[in-house]
Amino acid sequence: EPEVTQTPSHQVTQMGQEVILRCVPISNHLYFYWYRQILGQKVEFLVSFYNNEISEKSEIFDDQFSVERPDGSNFTLKIRSTKLEDSAMYFCASAYPGELFFGEGSRLTVL
Amino acid sequence: AQSVTQLGSHVSVSEGALVLLRCNYSSSVPPYLFWYVQYPNQGLQLLLKYTSAATLVKGINGFEAEFKKSETSFHLTKPSAHMSDAAEYFCAVTEGGGKLIFGQGTELSVKP
């Protein structure tokens, strides 16, 4: 069964460092998303991406964040200069459109 | 704007008892509604979804939910809880597909 895969599963970084989280969406899907879940809190929408551009972003998705789909398969989330409050689980999702399929998540720990 | 409210951040039931997790939504257009389950240290797994077909939706693992427009609710139920049902449950809404808005989540504990 097709699935969304995310790497790394867990990353520990120092505050101020750049982090790239990678996602491989389901191959025929056209819509891509990043969500964030801070420990013990709800899952929050960060950004949606369609037709090689951001279609919507939340207030959380500030200038420190960027997304790209560099090679037609990977979908990446970059955090330019990490802060302590960026520590969270980051979920990638893709859709054909329709139902969103989520990856297992990447846990980011900022020290 | 869409929103989801889950009543009760933590629900505890005995094994074999009824599970009822509450979700109310707010949407300006007919919504699509979802329930996701998250086991510890795992991703989000779709339990069931409502997309304007039958109002009673059956999902995996014996769960079901009923869409009630008059009450703007989409409560999740299971007749008989199992220990393996212990997890975090999230209700989510989208207007016509696309971006999901999640509720705060309800942690379900199942006592032996």
Side-chain angles (χ1 to χ4, degrees), chain B residues 1-111:
Chain B
Q2 311 161 73
S3 66
V4 173
T5 302
Q6 291 182 240
L7 296 176
S9 59
H10 188 210
V11 170
S12 182
V13 300
S14 297
E15 193 173 18
L18 171 71
V19 175
L20 171 60
L21 305 183
R22 299 177 187 275
C23 172
N24 288 90
Y25 70 91
S26 172
S27 177
S28 57
V29 300
Y32 291 177
L33 293 156
F34 304 80
W35 275 99
Y36 285 85
V37 61
Q38 184 181 33
Y39 298 101
N41 299 314
Q42 294 190 26
L44 297 162
Q45 181 182 8
L46 181 67
L47 269 180
L48 49 79
K49 61 183 177 183
Y50 166 77
T51 56
S52 75
T55 56
L56 181 62
V57 181
K58 294 188 185 300
I60 63 172
N61 301 338
F63 284 93
E64 62 182 39
E66 185 171 9
F67 172 70
K68 291 187 177 180
K69 184 178 177 181
S70 61
E71 299 177 10
T72 61
S73 69
F74 190 58
H75 302 330
L76 181 71
T77 59
K78 182 174 180 177
S80 177
H82 192 271
M83 296 297 291
S84 60
D85 294 327
E88 185 92 18
Y89 291 81
F90 292 94
C91 183
V93 64
T94 183
E95 292 176 348
K99 181 183 81 174
L100 285 172
I101 301 298
F102 286 86
Q104 292 282 356
T106 299
E107 183 182 357
L108 175 66
S109 301
V110 182
K111 300 174 291 189

Side-chain angles (χ1 to χ4, degrees), chain A residues 33 35 37 42 45 56 99, chain B residues 38 46 49 98-100 103:
Chain A
Y33 306 84
Y35 285 79
Q37 184 184 30
K42 70 176 179 180
F45 168 77
E56 189 173 357
E99 178 183 338
Chain B
Q38 184 181 33
L46 181 67
K49 61 183 177 183
K99 181 183 81 174
L100 285 172

Side-chain angles (χ1 to χ4, degrees), chain A residues 66-86:
Chain A
S66 62
V67 289
E68 64 175 4
R69 197 151 186 259
D71 56 10
S73 60
N74 290 285
F75 178 52
T76 62
L77 174 69
K78 182 192 289 186
I79 308 174
R80 237 178 298 281
S81 177
T82 50
K83 309 185 196 70
L84 295 175
E85 54 264 38
D86 293 328

Side-chain angles (χ1 to χ4, degrees), chain A:
Chain A
E1 186 179 325
E3 60 180 15
V4 176
T5 56
Q6 291 185 240
T7 55
S9 57
H10 189 194
Q11 181 159 354
V12 180
T13 191
Q14 295 291 325
M15 192 168 54
Q17 295 296 304
E18 177 183 283
V19 162
I20 297 176
L21 304 178
R22 292 183 168 79
C23 170
V24 179
I26 295 173
S27 62
N28 65 336
H29 283 188
L30 303 175
Y31 295 79
F32 313 106
Y33 306 84
W34 282 102
Y35 285 79
R36 179 181 82 175
Q37 184 184 30
I38 295 172
L39 186 64
Q41 297 186 24
K42 70 176 179 180
V43 180
E44 300 172 291
F45 168 77
L46 288 179
V47 66
S48 59
F49 192 86
Y50 170 71
N51 201 24
N52 286 319
E53 60 183 22
I54 291 173
S55 48
E56 189 173 357
K57 59 183 181 179
S58 71
E59 293 173 352
I60 304 166
F61 195 87
D62 62 22
D63 292 344
Q64 292 298 313
F65 291 89
S66 62
V67 289
E68 64 175 4
R69 197 151 186 259
D71 56 10
S73 60
N74 290 285
F75 178 52
T76 62
L77 174 69
K78 182 192 289 186
I79 308 174
R80 237 178 298 281
S81 177
T82 50
K83 309 185 196 70
L84 295 175
E85 54 264 38
D86 293 328
S87 294
M89 181 75 93
Y90 290 82
F91 292 104
C92 174
S94 70
Y96 174 67
E99 178 183 338
L100 268 66
F101 290 80
F102 285 85
E104 292 281 313
S106 292
R107 181 170 297 285
L108 176 64
T109 302
V110 183
L111 302 176

